Amino acid sequence: MLELALPVAQRGLLFASTLLVTGAVVWKRAIAPSLAAESLDPAPLIHRVARLGTGSALLLLAVWGLRLVIQLHDFRDPFVPVQEDLAFLLGETFWGTVWVAQGVVTGILILAFMRRGWRLAEWGVVFLALTLSLSSHAMSVPFNRPLAVAVDASHLLAAGAWMGTLALILLISRGKAPHLAVQLRAFSPLAMGAVGVLIFMGVVLSGVHLGELRSLWASSYGRILVGKILLAGGVLLLGFLNWRRGLPALDTPEGARRIRRRATWEVALAAAVLVATAVLTGTPMPEGVH
């Protein structure tokens, strides 16, 4: 049971920490200026975001190490010394090269958040998404592989800009109603753009990985994908309700409580999407597609 659950947990934590570090740099770039524009001091919240970014990057580092342990366990040849398998995996496989690069990027992100190097953190997040896509199903596409990797990375970054940023807004704004209202109003157009990119890239990836429509119900990959889509639809519905009903009433205490409650459920349901994604990325694609 542990051998089945541990890889899913590892991938889920990997995606969650990636979304949070992405959300941190997006928050600093797109949300923090709105606070200053409303004569609210953003410095305390920037400090909180940097600490959360550091913590998320440290979690990413731990999950990165666990990823090697799982990969080595799956790759292990019981008839050769473990150090020989490890040397081959890291030194002579593309997976090993990408894994090492991911560790370097993670270390850079930790230092960037600790030292408030936001521009470096922005580039780090982009390269982190690329390393994840370079070890994803996108690498099995037999044609236009660079494009498939770019689409996969864009999909991940859009998810971070949406859910990662929203999660950080909720975490740093407890008890600060004016700060919450300003941030959510600045977040709304950003979320719409991110959701548009997320859906478009998701449709492209689904078409590439499924091959044909019947794979949605005729393969394990397709059925898990349907479950993920339904969960994501629930997140979108909650986001729409917050935009339609929550934002107009955000300045009232009751309105602020309701939008925070719905946004919390939105993030919680997004966590379920991450679990579905973690299962999906470990599921073989329909036979004969790639």
Side-chain angles (χ1 to χ4, degrees), residues 31-42 177-186 251:
I31 307 300
S34 65
L35 294 166
E38 294 293 331
S39 300
L40 296 170
D41 182 14
H179 295 76
L180 178 65
V182 171
Q183 289 177 91
L184 288 179
R185 288 199 171 97
D251 292 321

Side-chain angles (χ1 to χ4, degrees), residues 136-208:
S136 72
H137 284 322
M139 287 300 293
S140 64
V141 175
F143 54 90
N144 289 331
R145 190 170 295 167
L147 180 60
V149 169
V151 169
D152 189 89
S154 299
H155 184 72
L156 182 59
L157 290 171
W162 178 27
M163 277 298 112
T165 306
L166 179 59
L168 283 171
I169 289 173
L170 294 175
L171 286 170
I172 67 175
S173 304
R174 293 188 176 278
K176 294 183 176 292
H179 295 76
L180 178 65
V182 171
Q183 289 177 91
L184 288 179
R185 288 199 171 97
F187 172 71
S188 182
L190 169 69
M192 291 181 184
V195 167
V197 173
L198 186 72
I199 292 174
F200 178 76
M201 298 303 178
V203 170
V204 173
L205 288 171
S206 298
V208 169

Side-chain angles (χ1 to χ4, degrees), residues 68 73 80 153 166 247 271:
L68 176 62
H73 177 272
V80 301
L166 179 59
L247 286 181

Side-chain angles (χ1 to χ4, degrees), residues 15-47:
F15 293 139
S17 52
T18 300
L19 262 58
L20 286 172
V21 295
T22 302
V25 299
V26 170
W27 184 93
K28 177 60 173 62
R29 168 70 68 174
I31 307 300
S34 65
L35 294 166
E38 294 293 331
S39 300
L40 296 170
D41 182 14
L45 295 186
I46 291 174
H47 178 69

